[in-house]
Amino acid sequence: MHTPIDPVSSHVSSVGTPPQPVSVVFDTGSSSLEFASDECTVCTQTGKFVRAASSTYVAGTRTSTLHFGTGVGVDPVVNDNYVLTVRTGTDTVAVGGVSFPNMSLFTIINQTAPFNIDPFIGIQGMGSRARGIFAGLVAQGLP
């Protein structure tokens, strides 16, 4: 299900056991799956991923900061106004009826204010070194 949002598209995947809907935007400049979790107190979007509600979620110990070169659609970047702090983890991710157990992912634990206007809670990288959903499709032999 693709829904036009400004000049970008979002998609609803599910993460966890039992599945929780997670809306993500496809980003050709990124390579990983990251989405807001209940650990992010500054994330104002609704539908954040609730870690304790998933019996298959495993939190990682590594955190990192991701800087984005553009905002949603054609928003200009000014200094570091599009920055996420993320934590590594794994969980079951499903999209289009295909499930990927133990998929590496990042949960957003902090973000700059410009992300709060987004109608989605995460980003699925589609770059040339993409991991996450697209790497899972390739690993399962799906083009």
Side-chain angles (χ1 to χ4, degrees):
M1 172 178 131
H2 294 254
T3 306
I5 298 173
D6 205 342
V8 297
S9 290
S10 70
H11 182 84
V12 176
S13 302
S14 65
V15 179
T17 307
Q20 298 176 47
V22 172
S23 62
V24 295
V25 66
F26 296 130
D27 180 17
T28 58
S30 300
S31 62
S32 57
L33 171 62
E34 55 263 349
F35 49 86
S37 73
D38 56 345
E39 188 174 10
C40 184
T41 58
V42 299
C43 299
T44 60
Q45 299 97 323
T46 59
K48 293 187 283 188
F49 177 71
V50 180
R51 298 164 297 146
S54 174
S55 64
T56 50
Y57 175 71
V58 177
T61 57
R62 188 174 63 92
T63 61
S64 56
T65 302
L66 306 175
H67 297 262
F68 287 82
T70 60
V72 175
V74 294
D75 290 351
V77 171
V78 179
N79 300 319
D80 280 334
N81 60 345
Y82 283 93
V83 180
L84 299 175
T85 303
V86 296
R87 177 181 315 285
T88 57
T90 61
D91 207 340
T92 299
V93 177
V95 60
V98 181
S99 183
F100 310 98
N102 303 311
M103 179 173 284
S104 295
L105 51 82
F106 295 98
T107 55
I108 299 169
I109 59 175
N110 197 3
Q111 67 184 20
T112 52
F115 281 108
N116 286 327
I117 65 166
D118 295 341
F120 41 82
I121 66 164
I123 299 167
Q124 171 56 64
M126 294 177 54
S128 60
R129 298 183 316 181
R131 298 175 298 229
I133 294 169
F134 294 103
L137 289 171
V138 171
Q140 291 195 20
L142 302 171

